[in-house]
């Protein structure tokens, strides 16, 4: 999909070619249509003849994007363009969206800042409601393993881009980055018009937008999510009447496993999201 700035976004269309509904899926940081949670959602939606389309953030489809910039947790303009494109492609379809992790933050921010979201309903899973608290949490305990994996992935993305074009971010400064706050100060902020990481976190965190959401929205979150602390989770008074928050004491990050034994796990999120979409389809048609 061509963008007005000369860049592009890759969209993966999955499932049946139904004309009456479509689910737009937003992956998390350094994710793609190959991410396990995206594949699981597409598979379970397809079982109900519901098609989906994965919006790859810039540079996440396996091919570097054309510009020096990447994507970030507050970038909602690309989402708007994708939703407008989907409306043109499927003008009679009911349009839904599901966002995971950073993609969920983008989705909730978009819903809160847009009176007409173009969506009939939305769901967000394992959202970093406050990016600053998420960055701090990942500097402690076993969460540092997640941080190292994701930070190194972002560095590799810059290296791939350097093979195609000059890049404004200093290579040596980037190589020294070990935490999210460091890489957001060195990479994310200067590339996307923020003063520094703290300015990026303050302006892009979705929590302050939740009270302004008008679209029926489900948020699924686990209190033991290793990417954040319970302090990041908004209270009921911060949610608009259109938002339903389902909190689980356990579930990790985009996991949500149940079952009598570890050898027979049940990923209840795989049932909950299609269930929510199908319930909204019934409401939208008046049935």
């Amino acid at each position: 999909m061509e963008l007005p700035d000369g860049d592009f976004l890759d969209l993966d269309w999955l499932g049946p070619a139904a004309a009456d509904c479509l689910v737009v899926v937003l992956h998390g940081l350094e994710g793609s249509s190959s991410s396990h949670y995206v594949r699981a959602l597409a598979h379970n939606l397809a079982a109900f003849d519901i098609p989906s389309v994965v919006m790859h953030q810039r540079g996440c489809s396996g091919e570097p994007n054309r510009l020096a910039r990447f994507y970030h947790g507050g970038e909602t303009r690309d989402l708007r363009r994708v939703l407008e494109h989907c409306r043109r492609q499927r003008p009679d379809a009911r349009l839904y969206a599901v966002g995971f992790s950073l993609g969920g933050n983008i989705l909730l921010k978009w819903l809160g800042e847009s009176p007409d979201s173009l969506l009939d309903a939305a769901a967000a899973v394992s959202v970093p409601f406050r990016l600053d608290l998420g960055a701090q949490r990942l500097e402690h305990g076993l969460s540092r393993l997640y941080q190292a994996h994701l930070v190194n992935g972002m560095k590799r993305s810059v290296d791939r881009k350097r093979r195609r074009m000059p890049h404004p971010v200093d290579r040596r400064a980037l190589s020294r980055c070990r935490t999210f706050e460091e890489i957001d100060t060195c990479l994310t902020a200067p590339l996307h018009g923020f003063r520094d990481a703290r300015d990026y976190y303050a302006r892009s965190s979705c929590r302050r937008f939740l009270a302004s959401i008008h679209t029926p929205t489900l948020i699924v979150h686990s209190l033991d999510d290793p990417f954040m602390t319970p302090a990041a989770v908004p209270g009921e008074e911060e949610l608009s009447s259109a938002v339903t928050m389902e909190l689980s004491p356990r579930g990790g990050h985009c996991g949500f496993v149940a079952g009598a034994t570890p050898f027979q796990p049940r990923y209840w999120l795989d049932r909950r999201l299609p269930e929510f979409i199908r319930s909204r389809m019934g409401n939208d048609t008046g049935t």
Side-chain angles (χ1 to χ4, degrees):
M1 174 183 159
E2 193 82 23
L3 297 173
D5 58 11
D7 210 351
F8 68 94
L9 293 174
D10 281 334
L11 306 179
D12 275 359
W13 298 79
L14 307 171
D20 60 345
C21 62
L22 179 66
V23 178
V24 179
V25 182
L26 289 79
H27 60 75
L29 183 66
E30 294 298 285
S32 71
S33 59
S34 297
S35 298
H36 68 90
Y37 52 87
V38 174
R39 294 199 311 269
L41 177 61
H43 173 78
N44 287 286
L45 289 173
F48 295 103
D49 294 323
I50 300 174
S52 56
V53 56
V54 180
M55 170 188 166
H56 284 104
Q57 302 291 348
R58 300 189 192 214
C60 288
S61 65
E63 181 180 355
N65 61 307
R66 297 170 183 163
L67 304 181
R69 59 158 297 173
F70 288 95
Y71 64 98
H72 61 83
E75 177 52 82
T76 55
R77 291 170 297 182
D78 287 348
L79 174 57
R80 173 179 59 80
R81 291 161 181 150
V82 168
L83 296 178
E84 290 173 346
H85 175 76
C86 290
R87 282 294 190 197
R88 290 192 296 270
Q89 295 295 311
R90 307 276 180 91
D92 299 322
R94 296 185 296 280
L95 192 59
Y96 308 96
V98 177
F100 293 91
S101 194
L102 194 72
N105 189 86
I106 294 169
L107 176 58
L108 294 176
K109 179 174 179 283
W110 159 253
L111 292 169
E113 66 189 15
S114 309
D116 178 11
S117 72
L118 305 176
L119 292 167
D120 293 284
V125 180
S126 298
V127 177
F129 301 100
R130 279 187 47 181
L131 297 172
D132 58 336
L133 296 182
Q136 293 168 20
R137 174 68 180 86
L138 286 165
E139 294 183 23
H140 301 281
L142 291 177
S143 298
R144 290 177 295 178
L145 298 176
Y146 291 104
Q147 176 173 251
H149 172 72
L150 293 170
V151 166
N152 288 334
M154 295 172 74
K155 291 179 182 181
R156 287 192 294 270
S157 295
V158 176
D159 288 339
R160 287 193 295 270
K161 194 181 290 287
R162 287 190 198 279
R163 300 186 193 115
R164 295 192 172 200
M165 67 181 74
H167 201 271
V169 172
D170 182 79
R171 186 194 300 264
R172 282 183 288 186
L174 186 64
S175 69
R176 292 193 294 268
C177 293
R178 296 291 180 269
T179 68
F180 269 114
E181 183 164 356
E182 289 172 349
I183 204 165
D184 286 330
T185 295
C186 177
L187 179 70
T188 308
L191 281 182
H192 303 108
F194 300 102
R195 292 192 305 274
D196 51 27
R198 296 187 178 217
D199 182 45
Y200 161 50
Y201 298 152
R203 291 165 56 186
S204 299
S205 295
C206 71
R207 184 165 167 172
R208 66 189 181 94
F209 294 91
L210 299 178
S212 303
I213 293 176
H214 300 286
T215 302
T217 300
L218 170 69
I219 301 176
V220 181
H221 189 75
S222 172
L223 292 175
D224 70 347
D225 192 320
F227 278 34
M228 62 207 77
T229 65
V233 180
E236 286 291 330
E237 71 282 359
E238 298 178 71
L239 309 178
S240 81
S241 60
V243 176
T244 299
M245 172 87 80
E246 294 185 358
L247 288 175
S248 171
R250 297 190 179 277
H253 191 72
C254 298
F256 301 93
V257 183
T261 72
F263 306 105
Q264 293 181 310
R266 290 185 293 106
Y267 295 89
W268 61 262
L269 185 68
D270 293 350
R271 298 194 311 273
R272 184 65 186 103
L273 294 177
E275 176 187 84
F276 172 72
I277 297 296
R278 293 179 72 212
S279 72
R280 292 311 314 174
M281 290 170 65
N283 287 339
D284 295 340
T285 57
T287 58

